Amino acid sequence: MAVQENADRRKFYNNEDCPVRNVVAQIGDKWSLLILFALVDGPDRFNSLKSRIEGISQRMLTQTLRDLEREGYVNRTVYPEVPVKVEYCLTEMGGDLVKPLYQLVCWADDHQEKIRSARQAYDKRS
């Protein structure tokens, strides 16, 4: 958690109560945002998600969906059919989460070239 210790600087603690570590670390991995944004389109099945998220392995999709379900962002529904049908969808909290994240994605899209240029300039200096 960030605590204001003086008028100028916050101090960040490495503990379970820190929202930066507790929330952002989970959604800031390589795949979580992509899965959340794929589910914005509506409920989807595992293989459909896998085909829509290029480069994700079956193991990583499984683990990331479990993590997102554990956090309360994704709901997993098993339908009693033969063969068994499983769908994933955003929970209300997951839907609320993607709203501010959409702003971040738009910002990243708008600034992608500037970021790329900054990286290249930095790499040339190094």
Side-chain angles (χ1 to χ4, degrees):
M1 174 187 301
V3 177
Q4 196 80 29
E5 290 206 341
N6 61 40
D8 303 19
R9 307 283 183 180
R10 290 175 287 170
K11 186 170 183 177
F12 296 90
Y13 294 98
N14 183 15
N15 62 38
E16 290 291 320
D17 295 329
C18 178
V20 174
R21 293 180 188 279
N22 207 7
V23 175
V24 177
Q26 172 58 47
I27 59 170
D29 65 12
K30 185 174 181 178
W31 301 108
S32 292
L33 282 178
L34 298 176
I35 293 169
L36 290 171
F37 280 105
L39 291 173
V40 165
D41 297 335
D44 210 350
R45 297 181 68 176
F46 184 90
N47 285 330
S48 176
L49 285 169
K50 187 171 180 318
S51 69
R52 293 173 59 208
I53 302 170
E54 188 173 314
I56 193 166
S57 68
Q58 183 168 332
R59 179 180 166 276
M60 189 53 62
L61 179 57
T62 298
Q63 186 58 56
T64 307
L65 282 166
R66 285 180 184 160
D67 293 343
L68 292 170
E69 184 180 9
R70 180 177 182 262
E71 297 293 319
Y73 306 135
V74 169
N75 188 35
R76 179 179 184 265
T77 303
V78 179
Y79 296 95
E81 300 175 3
V82 177
V84 174
K85 178 182 175 184
V86 179
E87 278 188 341
Y88 298 89
C89 66
L90 292 177
T91 62
E92 184 178 342
M93 188 167 60
D96 288 344
L97 174 64
V98 296
K99 291 173 188 173
L101 292 177
Y102 182 73
Q103 293 175 341
L104 174 62
V105 169
C106 289
W107 180 91
D109 190 42
D110 291 344
H111 292 82
Q112 183 175 355
E113 285 303 316
K114 290 179 185 176
I115 295 167
R116 187 175 290 125
S117 294
R119 288 175 182 163
Q120 289 172 349
Y122 179 86
D123 291 345
K124 285 179 183 177
R125 289 191 311 263
S126 296

